[in-house]
């Protein structure tokens, strides 16, 4: 099943816990960076080469608390997948 990138709803999210956290309402993403001046979350449809993807530029006013950048993607994307390698961070629909 392909992800519908055109209809993603991005909310502020929460700063904790860190990482990609599947929730009943979607997925919360939170990462720590003391020196980042900008963060772009890139969602891939799958781990396959040339997989469709979508970039979400986080707003430092809305999506940053202290040194933690965060957002919440609403929808049925909260099913954790098997990453192709440790730390890849893929979440498959």
């Amino acid at each position: 099943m392909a992800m519908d990138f055109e209809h993603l709803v991005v909310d502020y999210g929460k700063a904790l816990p860190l990482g990609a956290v599947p929730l009943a309402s979607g997925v919360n993403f939170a990462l720590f960076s003391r020196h980042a001046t900008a963060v772009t979350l890139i969602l891939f449809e799958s781990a396959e080469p040339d997989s469709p993807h979508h970039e979400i530029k986080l707003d430092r006013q809305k999506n940053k608390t202290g040194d933690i950048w965060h957002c919440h993607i609403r929808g049925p994307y909260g099913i954790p997948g098997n990453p192709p390698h440790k730390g890849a961070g893929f979440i498959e629909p």
Side-chain angles (χ1 to χ4, degrees):
M1 181 175 165
M3 284 184 74
D4 184 7
F5 290 129
E6 291 183 30
H7 296 98
L8 286 179
V9 177
V10 182
D11 294 324
Y12 302 128
K14 296 185 179 186
L16 295 174
L18 294 177
V21 180
L23 304 168
S25 60
V27 180
N28 191 76
F29 294 89
L31 67 96
F32 173 88
S33 179
R34 180 164 288 137
H35 303 291
T37 57
V39 170
T40 300
L41 174 66
I42 304 174
L43 300 175
F44 292 88
E45 187 172 284
S46 74
E48 298 301 316
D50 299 322
S51 172
H53 67 279
H54 183 73
E55 296 184 8
I56 300 167
K57 295 181 188 303
L58 300 187
D59 182 310
R60 68 177 15 192
Q61 300 298 322
K62 299 176 184 176
N63 302 108
K64 188 171 185 248
T65 303
D67 292 330
I68 300 175
W69 294 79
H70 48 82
C71 72
H72 176 265
I73 308 295
R74 280 199 261 163
Y77 309 110
I79 303 169
N82 295 321
H85 59 276
K86 187 175 180 178
F90 285 94
I91 293 186
E92 298 182 16

